[in-house]
Amino acid sequence: MRKKEEGTEGEEKKEEKDDKKEKDSKDTKKEDKKDDKKDKKDEKSKEPKKPKIESVKVDLEVDGTRNDLELLDGESFNSSKAKLDALNQADLDRLAIETALNELQSFSFDLSDKMEDDEEFQSASTSEERESVVAECGKVSEWLDEEAGMFTPVEEFTTKLKVLKDLSAPIMARVREHKERPDALEQLRQSINSSNVFLEKSKAKIVEEEGLFKEKELDSLKKKIAEVEKWRDEKLAEQEKTPLAEMPKLTVSMIKSKIQDLDSEVQFLIQKARMLKAEKEREKRKLEAEEKKAEEERLKKEKKAKKKKAKEANATDTEGEKVAEEVPSTESTGEGDTDTTDKKPEPEIVEEVNEGDNIKDNAEEPSEVPEEHTEL
């Protein structure tokens, strides 16, 4: 027991010591914080105060004076304007001379190079033509180097350029024809093929749909295709015999005109077929509308007839009911007679009802007669 008590006392002492240490540490921290605050306050008190800025508004006075040149008027203005116009015109003349010079120089150099190095131009021209063109290009280049300048009139440049273009125009035309002819022939071939296809389909439609095309029209198209094919073959044979240096017998413009002729012929037939189809469709719609109208009128007539029959049936029913109501009154007057068997009222009632109405309900009306008549 003593040992236990001693152990508990030791633990209590340790706890007291720990508490004291914690209190001491807290006190030291508080003192440090207080010292820091004091130091900061001292530093702030030592710093100099910033001066206050005040803004003051003052009205300013401005005096304007013109220090550049005075405005022109009268003769001075007119003379200055004339000088400016002259300068602008000089600039325009200089620009025109420069463009004309550059155009002439580039055309002459390019043309001479093509005549000497390009196979297409050599094959499409004779040696004499090439020599004349090259010689003229040499003259132009010498003139540009020695005589031409910024003060040369524009007309001289344009005249020399026209001379070169006139000399080279036939050669240029032949080269252009040789380049563009294959494409034009291909277009002509496609046009002929499409026309033949259209012709075959149109012949089939004559059998299927009467009146769409006439045989004369298709025969004229067939003849046109044959003529174009024959013309093409003949011109190609002539062109093969013609040298490249001469003007071609088969030109691109001629081929295009034949293509246009074929296309116009086919388009005429197509347009006609469209118009005929449109007319047939209009007639068909008209017939359908008329049939529909006739059907509606027939239905209306049937409805009217049914209504009329119903009214007649109702009228006959009402007449039969009236006759049936009149029969008891006539028979009641004859009750005093002794010989009742001679009168035979039943057949008379049936005959009167049959004369007023022809409906099946007449057979049921005798049941409505009073019991006295049934006994008779």
Side-chain angles (χ1 to χ4, degrees):
M1 293 291 291
R2 288 179 181 176
K3 287 181 180 179
K4 287 181 180 180
E5 289 176 357
E6 289 176 358
T8 52
E9 288 177 356
E11 289 177 357
E12 289 176 355
K13 287 179 181 180
K14 285 181 180 179
E15 289 176 356
E16 289 176 357
K17 286 180 181 180
D18 293 333
D19 293 335
K20 284 181 181 180
K21 286 180 180 179
E22 287 178 358
K23 287 179 181 180
D24 293 335
S25 62
K26 286 180 181 179
D27 294 334
T28 53
K29 286 179 180 179
K30 287 180 180 179
E31 290 176 357
D32 293 335
K33 286 181 180 179
K34 288 179 180 179
D35 294 334
D36 292 335
K37 287 181 180 179
K38 287 180 181 181
D39 294 335
K40 287 179 180 180
K41 286 180 180 179
D42 295 334
E43 288 177 356
K44 286 181 179 179
S45 61
K46 289 179 181 180
E47 289 179 357
K49 293 181 180 180
K50 293 181 179 179
K52 292 182 180 180
I53 298 170
E54 293 181 357
S55 59
V56 179
K57 293 182 180 180
V58 179
D59 295 331
L60 298 176
E61 295 179 357
V62 180
D63 293 332
T65 57
R66 188 183 180 92
N67 295 324
D68 57 353
L69 297 174
E70 295 181 358
L71 295 174
L72 299 175
D73 56 354
E75 294 180 358
S76 59
F77 176 78
N78 293 328
S79 62
S80 299
K81 188 176 181 299
K83 288 178 182 178
L84 291 173
D85 293 337
L87 291 172
N88 289 329
Q89 188 61 38
D91 291 334
L92 293 173
D93 294 339
R94 180 180 57 79
L95 182 62
I97 290 168
E98 288 178 357
T99 53
L101 190 147
N102 291 329
E103 187 178 1
L104 178 60
Q105 191 174 14
S106 61
F107 186 81
S108 64
F109 288 164
D110 183 58
L111 185 61
S112 62
D113 290 337
K114 285 178 179 177
M115 292 297 167
E116 292 175 356
D117 299 329
D118 198 338
E119 292 180 358
E120 291 181 353
F121 281 83
Q122 289 178 357
S123 62
S125 61
T126 60
S127 59
E128 295 176 355
E129 289 176 340
R130 290 195 297 274
E131 288 175 358
S132 62
V133 171
V134 170
E136 190 64 29
C137 289
K139 291 178 181 178
V140 169
S141 61
E142 289 178 1
W143 180 79
L144 290 172
D145 294 336
E146 295 177 0
E147 298 180 8
M150 296 306 298
F151 298 101
T152 304
V154 179
E155 289 77 8
E156 293 186 12
F157 293 103
T158 55
T159 51
K160 292 186 179 297
L161 181 63
K162 187 177 181 301
V163 170
L164 288 178
K165 286 183 177 180
D166 291 339
L167 282 174
S168 62
I171 302 170
M172 294 282 189
R174 290 194 288 270
V175 171
R176 184 173 61 254
E177 289 289 336
H178 297 328
K179 281 183 179 180
E180 296 178 0
R181 190 184 301 113
D183 294 334
L185 288 171
E186 180 63 23
Q187 292 177 4
L188 180 62
R189 186 187 67 79
Q190 292 177 1
S191 179
I192 292 169
N193 290 337
S194 62
S195 301
N196 283 320
V197 171
F198 176 77
L199 182 63
E200 295 297 328
K201 290 183 178 179
S202 301
K203 286 180 179 178
K205 285 183 179 179
I206 286 176
V207 178
E208 295 174 359
E209 302 177 7
E210 294 182 357
L212 189 60
F213 295 111
K214 294 181 180 179
E215 291 184 0
K216 291 181 179 180
E217 294 172 346
L218 297 179
D219 290 338
S220 65
L221 178 61
K222 187 177 179 180
K223 288 179 182 178
K224 190 71 176 176
I225 294 169
E227 289 176 0
V228 172
E229 288 179 345
K230 185 179 178 181
W231 173 84
R232 180 193 61 184
D233 297 336
E234 291 176 355
K235 288 294 181 181
L236 283 173
E238 291 180 3
Q239 183 60 40
E240 288 177 357
K241 295 177 183 178
T242 304
L244 296 176
E246 294 181 5
M247 196 63 191
K249 303 294 182 182
L250 181 61
T251 61
V252 175
S253 61
M254 294 165 68
I255 296 169
K256 288 182 178 179
S257 66
K258 293 296 180 182
I259 294 170
Q260 189 175 1
D261 292 340
L262 271 180
D263 290 341
S264 62
E265 191 74 20
V266 173
Q267 289 298 323
F268 171 74
L269 293 175
I270 290 170
Q271 191 67 25
K272 185 180 179 182
R274 286 176 180 171
M275 292 172 68
L276 290 172
K277 283 184 177 180
E279 287 179 0
K280 287 182 178 181
E281 288 178 358
R282 284 196 294 270
E283 290 177 358
K284 186 179 179 182
R285 287 196 295 269
K286 188 177 179 181
L287 289 172
E288 289 176 354
E290 289 177 355
E291 290 175 357
K292 188 176 180 182
K293 189 176 180 181
E295 185 68 19
E296 289 176 355
E297 289 178 355
R298 186 181 65 79
L299 293 172
K300 285 180 181 179
K301 288 179 180 179
E302 288 179 357
K303 286 181 181 179
K304 287 180 180 179
K306 286 180 181 179
K307 288 180 180 179
K308 190 175 181 181
K309 286 181 181 179
K311 286 180 180 180
E312 290 176 355
N314 292 328
T316 53
D317 291 338
T318 54
E319 288 177 359
E321 289 176 359
K322 287 179 180 180
V323 170
E325 289 175 357
E326 290 175 357
V327 168
S329 62
T330 56
E331 290 179 352
S332 60
T333 56
E335 285 179 354
D337 297 333
T338 57
D339 193 4
T340 57
T341 57
D342 296 331
K343 293 181 181 181
K344 295 181 181 180
E346 286 182 0
E348 292 177 358
I349 294 167
V350 173
E351 288 176 0
E352 289 175 0
V353 172
N354 288 329
E355 288 176 359
D357 188 15
N358 293 323
I359 302 172
K360 292 180 181 180
D361 296 333
N362 295 333
E364 296 177 2
E365 287 181 0
S367 62
E368 296 177 359
V369 179
E371 292 179 356
E372 297 176 356
H373 298 286
T374 57
E375 289 176 357
L376 291 172

